[in-house]
Amino acid sequence: MWVSQFRCRCVRIGLVLMMCIILICHVSLPAYAHIQNESTRQNHSEHLVLVLVPDFSFQDVKDMTSALPTDISQNLHWGAMTMRTASGINSDHHLISLSTGQHQRTVSGWRGYNREEEVKDIEAHALYRQRSGIQTTASIIHPDIFKLHAEWESETDTYPGWLGETLMAHQVSTYALGNSDVRDHKQRWAATFIMNKDGEAEGMIDERVLHKASDFPTGVQTDLDQIKQSIHHQWRSHERTFTVVELGDLKRLLSEKAHMSAEYFERSKTEWWRDFARWIEEVMHPDPSSHSSSEVAIWVLSSNVSKQAHDDGEDLAPFYMWTNQQTGGLMETKTTRQEGIVSNLDLVPTILSYFDIESPTHLPGHVIEVSSSLENKTPQMSQAMLAQWQNDIQYLFTIYNERRPIITTYIILILVLLFLATLYWGFTKQKEKHHWILVMIGSILLSPFFFLILTPLVVQLGGITWIWFLFLCSVLLSYLLYKWCPPILFVSLIGWLNALAILIDVWRGSPWMQRSFLGFDPIIGARYYGIGNEYAGILLGASIIAVVSLYVWLYKHTRWRSLKWVYFSGAAVFYAFIVLTLGSPQLGTNAGATLASVVTYIVSLWLMVQLQVGKKGGLLLFTLGLLATIAIFALHWRGEHTHIGAVLHLLADGDLAPVQEILTRKLTLNLKLVRVSLWGKLFVASLAVCLLMMFRWRAEQWQHLKHNPWFNGLRSIVLGAALLLILNDSGIVAAATAMIYGTFPFLSLKVADTPSDEIKKNER
């Protein structure tokens, strides 16, 4: 009895100690978070200045950094921000996405006004009263705020103006300064970040922040001294401030570039960047005696890149952070998991984190942190790594610009070879001399592997030369494998090579896929890590054809009866490993591909083993597949925010409307892509070839065909392609790449060459 009581007391004491440790140690420390008690906060000020520089692009980075003092330029936190929105890359939509933390769109002509400014021949405050019935006292008004709310597509509580209201509720004073007006065209974005839900804000964004400059393009220039004084006044008046400054001089300068001499344009731009650098230094180094206990941060962000940069495919916005206490480094975030690349959805959580305000869990963005790769590095080493990062950004721009012509050429070549191969097997009677067609088919099946490893050579070769070099490498390797292997093993090795290369890359963090023409592109912003739709389809198709081909070869050349259980168990483990990779929140995170692969692999195993291990064995394998599926769902249920986890929680709550909306959106998008994209044409052509080949057999041969392992493998791939099409936003891409590994092997290895007759005979 006393032993039992002693154990109970130990358990109670342990629980009390554990709770104390949790209460003491459970403190979150995201980047720019400053956790302090109230007594410390009373003597400590926090000031954040967000500087928007419209038309600032990576083409101007060298000019900016060379103008900055060394102590600032060497200690910047560097990042490239994606500009994806709900309606493509658009500066107005980008602004709303930045200020709300969600991919959204705005209304046309969105801008703010100081209350006395005239809008459509009426003062802004009078127009606002006509639309709201409210006599506002705010100094800045957004007359179109009610139209924006009416067209807002999100049903969450993070509406336009939510950020400003949240900051004010936490005693953060907000203020907006500056504009990007170009002659009669008004552009005012700064106040959008700090307005409340009624579109009201405080600050000065009209012509009062400009001064006449007869030798500067458009004749006006931002009054930097006035803005500096306004910022310092805010700091003296409030303990915690968030000031948004819009400097439109670069935009005004670029608007007149076509009418200026090249020499004077470059000189004017250089001088402006010098003025900008001097202003930054003066803002950050006020009178030390008055701000000795203040923590001050200044963030410089391009609200939209220049037209020239956009035309050149350089649609990543430069983003820099600096405080007096930091050392240089690259930004990183859980949203992208790519060093030096952040999302526009990350800005709101990072602003909130700076002021120790918790971000809503439904926002998809994460706090921007600083990469640990530059820790304990000398300034020279840090500068070298930052220079390498800038080269990597230029490499991203090269991939983005070359992607369309390369992918177009690639798909056209596949379609041509598909047509020729179909004609060959359909109309050629003498098929003994088929070596060349098999080698060419093998090169198509090997090309995704070379897309993974050869992409960096595009910088030296150029786009068109690179794609022909890729096909040359594919043909050469295909020829060597064909010479070394029998046809069945030849197809199997190609499948294994592609599947294993993709899996290895994903488990390494997808370094090849992130910079592959068949991978994902941070400029587009549809996916940043894991496995993209192109390689998800390739992995599904290549893995099935690898397993089925090896099964056929082993059946012909080994003692199959003693081996079959080992092989089928190994195939089940291999498929389960792929599902784990696709569905893991830390690795693949491709929800559609995960669900499609679960169903496809279970069906594939069932079709393959039903004649070999009986229905009980098939039921066992099905049960194992179901358990693996449950395990994957459990990871997403309790793990970090993912699409699968979100859908599971919706289903658990009985909220089917959003799930139905998701499926409808996916189907609508994919039907559109089938009509307009080359991937859609490739999918339709592959499916048509498969149907044509199947209808060649007469009805009495169906019993022979349905037990054929090649045909069952093809059926599994077609099923997987259909599921990928339905379950992914751009599922047509995954469906098309998956079909490549069904159609081409089906053409190259004739049904008559498979051991289906022997299988039927042995099983009777």
Side-chain angles (χ1 to χ4, degrees), residues 346 454 527:
D346 298 323
L454 293 183
R527 174 175 290 274

Side-chain angles (χ1 to χ4, degrees), residues 178-472:
N179 63 57
S180 300
D181 294 353
V182 178
R183 301 193 188 279
D184 294 333
H185 177 69
K186 289 179 170 54
Q187 179 175 284
R188 284 85 177 276
W189 287 344
T192 303
F193 284 88
I194 63 169
M195 67 180 184
N196 60 20
K197 67 177 180 179
D198 294 323
E200 301 169 310
E202 296 300 324
M204 187 164 51
I205 60 173
D206 58 7
E207 66 275 1
R208 290 175 294 171
V209 295
L210 306 176
H211 67 81
K212 291 184 178 181
S214 58
D215 57 344
F216 192 82
T218 73
V220 294
Q221 196 170 0
T222 304
D223 191 340
L224 295 176
D225 288 336
Q226 182 184 9
I227 289 182
K228 177 190 66 177
Q229 293 170 9
S230 298
I231 293 172
H232 290 168
H233 175 73
Q234 289 295 310
W235 293 357
R236 289 190 296 269
S237 304
H238 306 279
E239 289 293 320
R240 308 172 80 198
T241 67
F242 176 50
T243 308
V244 185
V245 179
E246 182 177 352
L247 300 181
D249 292 332
L250 184 61
K251 185 178 186 64
R252 284 184 273 269
L253 183 62
L254 290 171
S255 70
E256 294 291 309
K257 180 180 179 181
H259 307 286
M260 299 173 63
S261 70
E263 180 184 356
Y264 184 60
F265 172 80
E266 292 297 333
R267 186 166 74 248
S268 298
K269 189 169 70 166
T270 301
E271 289 176 357
W272 185 81
W273 280 117
R274 289 174 182 169
D275 293 340
F276 171 83
R278 183 170 56 253
W279 176 78
I280 290 284
E281 191 172 19
E282 291 173 353
V283 169
M284 294 297 290
H285 295 96
D287 180 9
S289 62
S290 61
H291 297 285
S292 57
S293 62
S294 297
E295 179 162 340
V296 178
I298 189 163
W299 301 352
V300 180
L301 171 63
S302 172
S303 51
N304 63 285
V305 298
S306 65
K307 183 179 183 303
Q308 182 64 52
H310 175 71
D311 293 342
D312 293 341
E314 301 186 6
D315 286 313
L316 286 177
F319 185 29
Y320 303 95
M321 296 176 171
W322 184 63
T323 66
N324 288 325
Q325 296 82 21
Q326 75 183 34
T327 56
L330 294 175
M331 301 178 194
E332 64 179 10
T333 172
K334 292 181 180 178
T335 305
T336 64
R337 301 185 190 179
Q338 294 191 38
E339 194 175 59
I341 306 291
V342 298
S343 169
N344 52 2
L345 304 184
D346 298 323
L347 184 63
V348 166
T350 309
I351 292 171
L352 295 175
S353 177
Y354 182 87
F355 294 107
D356 300 330
I357 303 172
E358 186 176 357
S359 181
T361 56
H362 65 264
L363 286 182
H366 296 84
V367 175
I368 296 173
E369 301 175 344
V370 183
S371 172
S372 60
S373 64
L374 292 179
E375 290 182 356
N376 303 319
K377 298 286 193 305
T378 64
Q380 293 76 14
M381 296 172 64
S382 298
Q383 289 301 303
M385 293 185 69
L386 292 174
Q388 179 59 46
W389 169 73
Q390 290 184 349
N391 291 334
D392 290 341
I393 296 299
Q394 295 302 319
Y395 176 46
L396 275 176
F397 294 151
T398 300
I399 294 174
Y400 179 75
N401 287 312
E402 298 289 353
R403 182 185 300 273
R404 182 180 294 274
I406 284 178
I407 295 300
T408 300
T409 304
Y410 178 62
I411 296 176
I412 290 174
L413 287 173
I414 294 177
L415 287 170
V416 169
L417 185 57
L418 182 62
F419 177 73
L420 293 176
T422 305
L423 288 179
Y424 182 83
W425 290 118
F427 299 100
T428 303
K429 295 182 179 180
Q430 295 181 350
K431 296 186 173 62
E432 63 275 5
K433 297 181 180 180
H434 56 261
H435 312 289
W436 67 273
I437 196 73
L438 286 179
V439 170
M440 294 306 297
I441 287 174
S443 68
I444 292 295
L445 299 178
L446 284 167
S447 59
F449 169 73
F450 287 105
F451 264 102
L452 274 181
I453 65 175
L454 293 183
T455 302
L457 293 178
V458 73
V459 177
Q460 289 78 27
L461 298 178
I464 300 302
T465 304
W466 182 88
I467 190 66
W468 289 112
F469 178 73
L470 176 138
F471 272 109
L472 177 63

Side-chain angles (χ1 to χ4, degrees), residues 35-256:
I35 310 301
Q36 308 164 70
N37 58 37
E38 290 300 320
S39 61
T40 303
R41 191 181 294 279
Q42 291 176 0
N43 299 318
H44 184 82
S45 300
E46 294 170 324
H47 305 294
L48 173 60
V49 180
L50 176 63
V51 181
L52 303 177
V53 185
D55 284 12
F56 176 35
S57 69
F58 274 94
Q59 297 175 352
D60 304 306
V61 165
K62 185 177 180 180
D63 290 338
M64 189 201 80
T65 53
S66 61
L68 289 171
T70 305
D71 64 322
I72 296 179
S73 62
Q74 289 187 348
N75 294 310
L76 288 174
H77 290 166
W78 305 59
M81 179 175 284
T82 64
M83 298 178 62
R84 183 191 177 197
T85 72
S87 296
I89 296 177
N90 176 284
S91 55
D92 289 335
H93 301 323
H94 178 50
L95 168 72
I96 292 297
S97 299
L98 279 172
S99 59
T100 61
Q102 304 170 80
H103 284 144
Q104 287 289 345
R105 59 174 60 88
T106 187
V107 295
S108 60
W110 173 262
R111 60 181 60 90
Y113 300 90
N114 274 106
R115 57 180 289 113
E116 296 84 7
E117 285 189 274
E118 287 195 356
V119 186
K120 300 178 181 178
D121 300 324
I122 184 174
E123 289 188 348
H125 69 90
L127 177 63
Y128 184 85
R129 184 175 183 178
Q130 292 176 2
R131 294 179 176 179
S132 66
I134 300 172
Q135 180 64 50
T136 179
T137 59
S139 60
I140 299 176
I141 302 163
H142 294 82
D144 289 324
I145 184 64
F146 307 107
K147 182 179 180 182
L148 178 61
H149 281 302
E151 297 185 12
W152 192 248
E153 295 184 353
S154 175
E155 297 181 357
T156 65
D157 55 359
T158 48
Y159 45 81
W162 170 86
L163 176 61
E165 291 192 340
T166 301
L167 292 172
M168 293 300 292
H170 287 80
Q171 291 76 50
V172 178
S173 178
T174 59
Y175 207 72
L177 292 162
N179 63 57
S180 300
D181 294 353
V182 178
R183 301 193 188 279
D184 294 333
H185 177 69
K186 289 179 170 54
Q187 179 175 284
R188 284 85 177 276
W189 287 344
T192 303
F193 284 88
I194 63 169
M195 67 180 184
N196 60 20
K197 67 177 180 179
D198 294 323
E200 301 169 310
E202 296 300 324
M204 187 164 51
I205 60 173
D206 58 7
E207 66 275 1
R208 290 175 294 171
V209 295
L210 306 176
H211 67 81
K212 291 184 178 181
S214 58
D215 57 344
F216 192 82
T218 73
V220 294
Q221 196 170 0
T222 304
D223 191 340
L224 295 176
D225 288 336
Q226 182 184 9
I227 289 182
K228 177 190 66 177
Q229 293 170 9
S230 298
I231 293 172
H232 290 168
H233 175 73
Q234 289 295 310
W235 293 357
R236 289 190 296 269
S237 304
H238 306 279
E239 289 293 320
R240 308 172 80 198
T241 67
F242 176 50
T243 308
V244 185
V245 179
E246 182 177 352
L247 300 181
D249 292 332
L250 184 61
K251 185 178 186 64
R252 284 184 273 269
L253 183 62
L254 290 171
S255 70
E256 294 291 309

Side-chain angles (χ1 to χ4, degrees), residues 390-613:
Q390 290 184 349
N391 291 334
D392 290 341
I393 296 299
Q394 295 302 319
Y395 176 46
L396 275 176
F397 294 151
T398 300
I399 294 174
Y400 179 75
N401 287 312
E402 298 289 353
R403 182 185 300 273
R404 182 180 294 274
I406 284 178
I407 295 300
T408 300
T409 304
Y410 178 62
I411 296 176
I412 290 174
L413 287 173
I414 294 177
L415 287 170
V416 169
L417 185 57
L418 182 62
F419 177 73
L420 293 176
T422 305
L423 288 179
Y424 182 83
W425 290 118
F427 299 100
T428 303
K429 295 182 179 180
Q430 295 181 350
K431 296 186 173 62
E432 63 275 5
K433 297 181 180 180
H434 56 261
H435 312 289
W436 67 273
I437 196 73
L438 286 179
V439 170
M440 294 306 297
I441 287 174
S443 68
I444 292 295
L445 299 178
L446 284 167
S447 59
F449 169 73
F450 287 105
F451 264 102
L452 274 181
I453 65 175
L454 293 183
T455 302
L457 293 178
V458 73
V459 177
Q460 289 78 27
L461 298 178
I464 300 302
T465 304
W466 182 88
I467 190 66
W468 289 112
F469 178 73
L470 176 138
F471 272 109
L472 177 63
C473 294
S474 300
V475 170
L476 179 60
L477 181 58
S478 177
Y479 176 77
L480 294 175
L481 290 177
Y482 181 75
K483 284 296 183 182
W484 292 341
C485 309
I488 295 176
L489 198 57
F490 166 73
V491 173
S492 180
L493 286 177
I494 291 176
W496 284 106
L497 178 63
N498 280 287
L500 293 178
I502 294 170
L503 290 172
I504 291 171
D505 184 51
V506 172
W507 278 83
R508 291 172 59 226
S510 306
W512 289 339
M513 208 174 299
Q514 288 175 359
R515 299 297 181 265
S516 170
F517 290 107
L518 286 180
F520 33 83
D521 194 325
I523 297 178
I524 300 172
R527 174 175 290 274
Y528 303 103
Y529 58 88
I531 184 169
N533 286 338
E534 291 88 344
Y535 277 105
I538 292 167
L539 178 59
L540 187 143
S543 59
I544 290 178
I545 207 65
V547 169
V548 171
S549 302
L550 186 58
Y551 157 50
V552 173
W553 187 84
L554 290 174
Y555 188 91
K556 281 188 171 184
H557 298 89
T558 63
R559 296 181 178 179
W560 177 245
R561 287 187 176 276
S562 60
L563 188 64
K564 61 182 181 181
W565 264 109
V566 176
Y567 184 75
F568 290 142
S569 300
V573 171
F574 177 58
Y575 286 159
F577 180 74
I578 293 176
V579 171
L580 173 66
T581 302
L582 289 171
S584 170
Q586 291 76 32
L587 295 173
T589 64
N590 192 316
T594 302
L595 299 175
S597 64
V598 167
V599 177
T600 303
Y601 288 146
I602 290 176
V603 170
S604 177
L605 281 173
W606 173 258
L607 292 175
M608 190 166 55
V609 307
Q610 60 180 337
L611 295 177
Q612 296 290 307
V613 297

